[in-house]
Amino acid sequence: MTFDVAVIGLGPVGELAALLLARAGLKVLASERESDVYPNPRVGVLDGEALRTLQKAGVYERAADDMLLGAGAQWVSARGKVVATTLPTEQLQGHPWISAIYQPLLDKQLRTALAEYPEVDIRLGHQLTGLTQDDEGVELIFRTGDGATANARARFVLGCDGANSATRDAVGVRLVGSEYTDTWLIVDAKLPEPIAHIPYFRMTLDPTAPRLTGRLAAGGHRWERKVMPWEDHDEILAPETARRAIAEDTNPDTAEILRHLIYTFRAKTAEYWQVGRVLLCGDAAHLMPPMIGQGLNSGIRDVTNLTWKIAAVVNDGAPLRILDTYEAERRPHADAITKMSVRAGRLVTMQSRSAATLRDAVAGALLRIPPLRERARQGRWRPPARYRRGLLLAPPSLRSPVGRLFPQPLVRTFSGTQHRLDDIAGSGWRIIGWEADPREALSALGRRIADDALEATYITLTSPGRRPVHCDATQQILEDLNEVARPYFKRQPFVVLRPDHHICANPSSGELDSTVRELTQQISNLTEMTVSA
């Protein structure tokens, strides 16, 4: 048997990759070297984009029960004065800006969902030891938990197996990049009750001991502290050190310590994210410090971008060249997030008292400016995931929303019910008009191409109170209750959305027909693709 895709590594990135592929009808091998879910928390947060991918994978509702939806972040000085706060009220992706998770519970929910797909073969306790490629697929060799050898064949392989990726090693790809490292103590504990006075993630900007604490889901709580160069690691790993960290905020006698370790953060990226039919995702492709909570979230963006393209190749006969757009689109944003994480790490771990005092004063002065204060409060300091080259039908620009991630507004149907947009429009190809019906702008041929080649969904969005009094039963006319989508149409009435929610085109009424034809041609013949510099 040849699988369509083999997913190596079943952390949340690999689990979501396998789910998205399975929902597209592909035969998936999902392998993991460990025999069970890692029992302790590692990643602590998911952002709104990641939750939107859980929604796309059909697991959001079951997974959300184990999360603390809608967390914030706070930075305080060594004396306890608030320097900056991020507590967003905006939900552009239809979900909170950041939410706390308990990773073992998330892993269990995702694996339970994965086991419900008969076309998915889950193999735990399988360590990848080698692979070879030919023109049609990849031969994989595994070592099982009892020391035996197992083989499998797949058309494509996704390496989602973390920082020490066996997949990356098997294709001879090195990690390159910054020499930045930062060593931190991490203490995870279960508490009988949440710490009431710490409802968000709090970073203390203390030059003598920069530290972070925050509430996780399911009764978990995390403490982190920078390990100073002169400190003895054996002393830091003594039980008393973990108890002292916990005692800063609560009674350590009531805490069950789950994890107490020293970890060194790095900022690296794989030389190549694709070697033939093998593609790298998540930490296998890029490593970044956790200072802005984007490691796992970046990996989820990777598989959201990649899985629909693999499905297009397998199900629809799209050319292999469509996969070349994966790294071209994702690497620039992952690099930008990594650089921001490094800058943030250096900023919050200043060890000079005078430099730290100046930093806090400058931040306080800037945040007294209302637009900057609002930008910080809403978390708009993080660079948006905008594609500037790849599968786009026009060059991105200030006047065009092409390449941007389209929001997910709360919408009201003609019958009066309220939903997130994706729950109505799905997450395939979508043609959305602002107070304009896309079907009326398409010729009979253009409509047939959009229906047959793209299986497109047609949506009309309006401002509240602007929908027609009477509505054709076949029309999807939805009120954007907060008008969050309106700015994304710029001067044109239509946007064409890819299955990963990014805007592929922003045509006028007269251009929509030719846009659909060009898009179909480019998906089947990428040599003519418009690529912006």
Side-chain angles (χ1 to χ4, degrees), residues 245-267:
I246 295 171
E248 292 182 8
D249 301 301
T250 192
N251 183 0
D253 294 334
T254 65
E256 175 191 357
I257 297 176
L258 303 174
R259 194 167 67 136
H260 176 198
L261 55 82
I262 293 173
Y263 193 88
T264 298
F265 304 120
R266 295 182 289 164

PDB file of all heavy atoms in Angstrom, residues 245-267:
ATOM      1  N   ALA A 245      10.637  29.407  43.213  1.00  0.00           N
ATOM      2  CA  ALA A 245       9.950  30.057  42.095  1.00  0.00           C
ATOM      3  C   ALA A 245       8.450  30.092  42.326  1.00  0.00           C
ATOM      4  O   ALA A 245       7.787  31.123  42.115  1.00  0.00           O
ATOM      5  CB  ALA A 245      10.278  29.329  40.789  1.00  0.00           C
ATOM      6  N   ILE A 246       7.902  28.991  42.780  1.00  0.00           N
ATOM      7  CA  ILE A 246       6.459  28.916  43.031  1.00  0.00           C
ATOM      8  C   ILE A 246       6.073  29.795  44.211  1.00  0.00           C
ATOM      9  O   ILE A 246       5.014  30.451  44.204  1.00  0.00           O
ATOM     10  CB  ILE A 246       6.058  27.445  43.284  1.00  0.00           C
ATOM     11  CG1 ILE A 246       6.281  26.623  42.007  1.00  0.00           C
ATOM     12  CG2 ILE A 246       4.604  27.340  43.744  1.00  0.00           C
ATOM     13  CD1 ILE A 246       6.127  25.131  42.201  1.00  0.00           C
ATOM     14  N   ALA A 247       6.939  29.852  45.219  1.00  0.00           N
ATOM     15  CA  ALA A 247       6.618  30.602  46.432  1.00  0.00           C
ATOM     16  C   ALA A 247       6.489  32.095  46.190  1.00  0.00           C
ATOM     17  O   ALA A 247       5.910  32.809  47.023  1.00  0.00           O
ATOM     18  CB  ALA A 247       7.686  30.340  47.497  1.00  0.00           C
ATOM     19  N   GLU A 248       7.019  32.595  45.072  1.00  0.00           N
ATOM     20  CA  GLU A 248       6.850  34.015  44.760  1.00  0.00           C
ATOM     21  C   GLU A 248       5.382  34.381  44.594  1.00  0.00           C
ATOM     22  O   GLU A 248       4.996  35.531  44.777  1.00  0.00           O
ATOM     23  CB  GLU A 248       7.608  34.367  43.482  1.00  0.00           C
ATOM     24  CG  GLU A 248       9.120  34.300  43.622  1.00  0.00           C
ATOM     25  CD  GLU A 248       9.824  34.708  42.335  1.00  0.00           C
ATOM     26  OE1 GLU A 248       9.135  35.183  41.408  1.00  0.00           O
ATOM     27  OE2 GLU A 248      11.058  34.565  42.260  1.00  0.00           O
ATOM     28  N   ASP A 249       4.538  33.389  44.219  1.00  0.00           N
ATOM     29  CA  ASP A 249       3.147  33.702  43.888  1.00  0.00           C
ATOM     30  C   ASP A 249       2.118  32.891  44.662  1.00  0.00           C
ATOM     31  O   ASP A 249       0.969  33.316  44.775  1.00  0.00           O
ATOM     32  CB  ASP A 249       2.915  33.473  42.385  1.00  0.00           C
ATOM     33  CG  ASP A 249       3.834  34.316  41.523  1.00  0.00           C
ATOM     34  OD1 ASP A 249       3.773  35.550  41.650  1.00  0.00           O
ATOM     35  OD2 ASP A 249       4.607  33.750  40.742  1.00  0.00           O
ATOM     36  N   THR A 250       2.509  31.715  45.177  1.00  0.00           N
ATOM     37  CA  THR A 250       1.530  30.882  45.862  1.00  0.00           C
ATOM     38  C   THR A 250       2.262  29.911  46.781  1.00  0.00           C
ATOM     39  O   THR A 250       3.496  29.849  46.802  1.00  0.00           O
ATOM     40  CB  THR A 250       0.660  30.116  44.845  1.00  0.00           C
ATOM     41  OG1 THR A 250      -0.453  29.521  45.514  1.00  0.00           O
ATOM     42  CG2 THR A 250       1.440  29.048  44.119  1.00  0.00           C
ATOM     43  N   ASN A 251       1.512  29.132  47.517  1.00  0.00           N
ATOM     44  CA  ASN A 251       2.078  28.176  48.464  1.00  0.00           C
ATOM     45  C   ASN A 251       2.647  26.962  47.731  1.00  0.00           C
ATOM     46  O   ASN A 251       1.898  26.197  47.116  1.00  0.00           O
ATOM     47  CB  ASN A 251       0.995  27.735  49.448  1.00  0.00           C
ATOM     48  CG  ASN A 251       1.521  26.787  50.524  1.00  0.00           C
ATOM     49  OD1 ASN A 251       2.707  26.445  50.545  1.00  0.00           O
ATOM     50  ND2 ASN A 251       0.635  26.370  51.417  1.00  0.00           N
ATOM     51  N   PRO A 252       3.961  26.751  47.773  1.00  0.00           N
ATOM     52  CA  PRO A 252       4.534  25.623  47.032  1.00  0.00           C
ATOM     53  C   PRO A 252       4.119  24.264  47.594  1.00  0.00           C
ATOM     54  O   PRO A 252       4.193  23.252  46.892  1.00  0.00           O
ATOM     55  CB  PRO A 252       6.048  25.840  47.169  1.00  0.00           C
ATOM     56  CG  PRO A 252       6.215  26.663  48.391  1.00  0.00           C
ATOM     57  CD  PRO A 252       4.992  27.537  48.458  1.00  0.00           C
ATOM     58  N   ASP A 253       3.659  24.218  48.839  1.00  0.00           N
ATOM     59  CA  ASP A 253       3.254  22.943  49.424  1.00  0.00           C
ATOM     60  C   ASP A 253       1.985  22.394  48.773  1.00  0.00           C
ATOM     61  O   ASP A 253       1.694  21.199  48.894  1.00  0.00           O
ATOM     62  CB  ASP A 253       3.021  23.097  50.934  1.00  0.00           C
ATOM     63  CG  ASP A 253       4.314  23.412  51.671  1.00  0.00           C
ATOM     64  OD1 ASP A 253       5.389  23.031  51.168  1.00  0.00           O
ATOM     65  OD2 ASP A 253       4.241  24.047  52.749  1.00  0.00           O
ATOM     66  N   THR A 254       1.234  23.263  48.113  1.00  0.00           N
ATOM     67  CA  THR A 254      -0.007  22.810  47.456  1.00  0.00           C
ATOM     68  C   THR A 254       0.210  22.478  45.984  1.00  0.00           C
ATOM     69  O   THR A 254      -0.730  22.078  45.293  1.00  0.00           O
ATOM     70  CB  THR A 254      -1.091  23.893  47.566  1.00  0.00           C
ATOM     71  OG1 THR A 254      -0.677  25.047  46.821  1.00  0.00           O
ATOM     72  CG2 THR A 254      -1.336  24.278  49.021  1.00  0.00           C
ATOM     73  N   ALA A 255       1.429  22.652  45.474  1.00  0.00           N
ATOM     74  CA  ALA A 255       1.704  22.473  44.045  1.00  0.00           C
ATOM     75  C   ALA A 255       2.283  21.091  43.759  1.00  0.00           C
ATOM     76  O   ALA A 255       3.118  20.580  44.516  1.00  0.00           O
ATOM     77  CB  ALA A 255       2.675  23.549  43.557  1.00  0.00           C
ATOM     78  N   GLU A 256       1.843  20.522  42.659  1.00  0.00           N
ATOM     79  CA  GLU A 256       2.437  19.282  42.153  1.00  0.00           C
ATOM     80  C   GLU A 256       3.379  19.670  41.010  1.00  0.00           C
ATOM     81  O   GLU A 256       2.928  20.089  39.949  1.00  0.00           O
ATOM     82  CB  GLU A 256       1.356  18.332  41.638  1.00  0.00           C
ATOM     83  CG  GLU A 256       1.910  17.075  40.991  1.00  0.00           C
ATOM     84  CD  GLU A 256       0.854  16.276  40.244  1.00  0.00           C
ATOM     85  OE1 GLU A 256      -0.339  16.675  40.285  1.00  0.00           O
ATOM     86  OE2 GLU A 256       1.210  15.267  39.588  1.00  0.00           O
ATOM     87  N   ILE A 257       4.673  19.549  41.231  1.00  0.00           N
ATOM     88  CA  ILE A 257       5.650  19.940  40.214  1.00  0.00           C
ATOM     89  C   ILE A 257       5.699  18.880  39.122  1.00  0.00           C
ATOM     90  O   ILE A 257       5.977  17.707  39.384  1.00  0.00           O
ATOM     91  CB  ILE A 257       7.037  20.163  40.841  1.00  0.00           C
ATOM     92  CG1 ILE A 257       6.977  21.328  41.832  1.00  0.00           C
ATOM     93  CG2 ILE A 257       8.081  20.447  39.753  1.00  0.00           C
ATOM     94  CD1 ILE A 257       8.263  21.589  42.577  1.00  0.00           C
ATOM     95  N   LEU A 258       5.409  19.305  37.901  1.00  0.00           N
ATOM     96  CA  LEU A 258       5.379  18.399  36.761  1.00  0.00           C
ATOM     97  C   LEU A 258       6.680  18.395  35.975  1.00  0.00           C
ATOM     98  O   LEU A 258       7.089  17.365  35.431  1.00  0.00           O
ATOM     99  CB  LEU A 258       4.238  18.803  35.812  1.00  0.00           C
ATOM    100  CG  LEU A 258       2.831  18.856  36.392  1.00  0.00           C
ATOM    101  CD1 LEU A 258       1.873  19.400  35.356  1.00  0.00           C
ATOM    102  CD2 LEU A 258       2.392  17.483  36.875  1.00  0.00           C
ATOM    103  N   ARG A 259       7.308  19.552  35.914  1.00  0.00           N
ATOM    104  CA  ARG A 259       8.496  19.670  35.076  1.00  0.00           C
ATOM    105  C   ARG A 259       9.409  20.724  35.679  1.00  0.00           C
ATOM    106  O   ARG A 259       8.958  21.804  36.056  1.00  0.00           O
ATOM    107  CB  ARG A 259       8.081  20.064  33.649  1.00  0.00           C
ATOM    108  CG  ARG A 259       9.181  19.882  32.611  1.00  0.00           C
ATOM    109  CD  ARG A 259       8.640  19.988  31.196  1.00  0.00           C
ATOM    110  NE  ARG A 259       8.164  21.301  30.850  1.00  0.00           N
ATOM    111  CZ  ARG A 259       8.413  21.921  29.688  1.00  0.00           C
ATOM    112  NH1 ARG A 259       9.127  21.307  28.774  1.00  0.00           N
ATOM    113  NH2 ARG A 259       7.929  23.117  29.445  1.00  0.00           N
ATOM    114  N   HIS A 260      10.688  20.411  35.751  1.00  0.00           N
ATOM    115  CA  HIS A 260      11.668  21.323  36.324  1.00  0.00           C
ATOM    116  C   HIS A 260      12.957  21.089  35.554  1.00  0.00           C
ATOM    117  O   HIS A 260      13.647  20.088  35.750  1.00  0.00           O
ATOM    118  CB  HIS A 260      11.839  21.014  37.818  1.00  0.00           C
ATOM    119  CG  HIS A 260      12.902  21.828  38.498  1.00  0.00           C
ATOM    120  ND1 HIS A 260      13.466  21.467  39.707  1.00  0.00           N
ATOM    121  CD2 HIS A 260      13.522  22.983  38.136  1.00  0.00           C
ATOM    122  CE1 HIS A 260      14.377  22.362  40.057  1.00  0.00           C
ATOM    123  NE2 HIS A 260      14.426  23.287  39.123  1.00  0.00           N
ATOM    124  N   LEU A 261      13.259  21.993  34.628  1.00  0.00           N
ATOM    125  CA  LEU A 261      14.402  21.759  33.752  1.00  0.00           C
ATOM    126  C   LEU A 261      15.022  23.072  33.296  1.00  0.00           C
ATOM    127  O   LEU A 261      14.446  24.146  33.472  1.00  0.00           O
ATOM    128  CB  LEU A 261      13.996  20.914  32.541  1.00  0.00           C
ATOM    129  CG  LEU A 261      12.841  21.406  31.656  1.00  0.00           C
ATOM    130  CD1 LEU A 261      13.303  22.447  30.648  1.00  0.00           C
ATOM    131  CD2 LEU A 261      12.221  20.240  30.910  1.00  0.00           C
ATOM    132  N   ILE A 262      16.204  22.941  32.709  1.00  0.00           N
ATOM    133  CA  ILE A 262      16.882  24.072  32.075  1.00  0.00           C
ATOM    134  C   ILE A 262      16.822  23.854  30.576  1.00  0.00           C
ATOM    135  O   ILE A 262      17.141  22.770  30.080  1.00  0.00           O
ATOM    136  CB  ILE A 262      18.338  24.177  32.554  1.00  0.00           C
ATOM    137  CG1 ILE A 262      18.380  24.545  34.045  1.00  0.00           C
ATOM    138  CG2 ILE A 262      19.104  25.213  31.740  1.00  0.00           C
ATOM    139  CD1 ILE A 262      19.773  24.502  34.644  1.00  0.00           C
ATOM    140  N   TYR A 263      16.408  24.887  29.871  1.00  0.00           N
ATOM    141  CA  TYR A 263      16.254  24.764  28.419  1.00  0.00           C
ATOM    142  C   TYR A 263      16.962  25.935  27.737  1.00  0.00           C
ATOM    143  O   TYR A 263      16.864  27.071  28.196  1.00  0.00           O
ATOM    144  CB  TYR A 263      14.778  24.754  28.027  1.00  0.00           C
ATOM    145  CG  TYR A 263      14.531  24.315  26.605  1.00  0.00           C
ATOM    146  CD1 TYR A 263      14.372  22.976  26.292  1.00  0.00           C
ATOM    147  CD2 TYR A 263      14.489  25.240  25.566  1.00  0.00           C
ATOM    148  CE1 TYR A 263      14.150  22.550  24.985  1.00  0.00           C
ATOM    149  CE2 TYR A 263      14.284  24.835  24.257  1.00  0.00           C
ATOM    150  CZ  TYR A 263      14.112  23.488  23.977  1.00  0.00           C
ATOM    151  OH  TYR A 263      13.909  23.089  22.687  1.00  0.00           O
ATOM    152  N   THR A 264      17.654  25.620  26.644  1.00  0.00           N
ATOM    153  CA  THR A 264      18.330  26.654  25.869  1.00  0.00           C
ATOM    154  C   THR A 264      17.562  26.928  24.593  1.00  0.00           C
ATOM    155  O   THR A 264      17.370  26.012  23.776  1.00  0.00           O
ATOM    156  CB  THR A 264      19.779  26.248  25.535  1.00  0.00           C
ATOM    157  OG1 THR A 264      20.508  26.084  26.758  1.00  0.00           O
ATOM    158  CG2 THR A 264      20.462  27.318  24.691  1.00  0.00           C
ATOM    159  N   PHE A 265      17.104  28.163  24.438  1.00  0.00           N
ATOM    160  CA  PHE A 265      16.354  28.563  23.255  1.00  0.00           C
ATOM    161  C   PHE A 265      17.326  28.960  22.142  1.00  0.00           C
ATOM    162  O   PHE A 265      18.371  29.560  22.400  1.00  0.00           O
ATOM    163  CB  PHE A 265      15.433  29.746  23.572  1.00  0.00           C
ATOM    164  CG  PHE A 265      14.488  29.470  24.706  1.00  0.00           C
ATOM    165  CD1 PHE A 265      14.509  30.254  25.852  1.00  0.00           C
ATOM    166  CD2 PHE A 265      13.583  28.428  24.629  1.00  0.00           C
ATOM    167  CE1 PHE A 265      13.640  30.005  26.894  1.00  0.00           C
ATOM    168  CE2 PHE A 265      12.706  28.169  25.678  1.00  0.00           C
ATOM    169  CZ  PHE A 265      12.730  28.959  26.813  1.00  0.00           C
ATOM    170  N   ARG A 266      16.951  28.659  20.916  1.00  0.00           N
ATOM    171  CA  ARG A 266      17.788  28.975  19.762  1.00  0.00           C
ATOM    172  C   ARG A 266      16.957  29.669  18.697  1.00  0.00           C
ATOM    173  O   ARG A 266      15.726  29.666  18.740  1.00  0.00           O
ATOM    174  CB  ARG A 266      18.411  27.693  19.181  1.00  0.00           C
ATOM    175  CG  ARG A 266      19.371  26.996  20.119  1.00  0.00           C
ATOM    176  CD  ARG A 266      19.977  25.770  19.460  1.00  0.00           C
ATOM    177  NE  ARG A 266      19.002  24.695  19.302  1.00  0.00           N
ATOM    178  CZ  ARG A 266      19.174  23.643  18.496  1.00  0.00           C
ATOM    179  NH1 ARG A 266      20.262  23.557  17.757  1.00  0.00           N
ATOM    180  NH2 ARG A 266      18.246  22.712  18.423  1.00  0.00           N
ATOM    181  N   ALA A 267      17.651  30.241  17.722  1.00  0.00           N
ATOM    182  CA  ALA A 267      16.992  30.902  16.589  1.00  0.00           C
ATOM    183  C   ALA A 267      17.653  30.381  15.315  1.00  0.00           C
ATOM    184  O   ALA A 267      18.676  30.904  14.883  1.00  0.00           O
ATOM    185  CB  ALA A 267      17.124  32.415  16.691  1.00  0.00           C
TER     186      ALA A 267
END
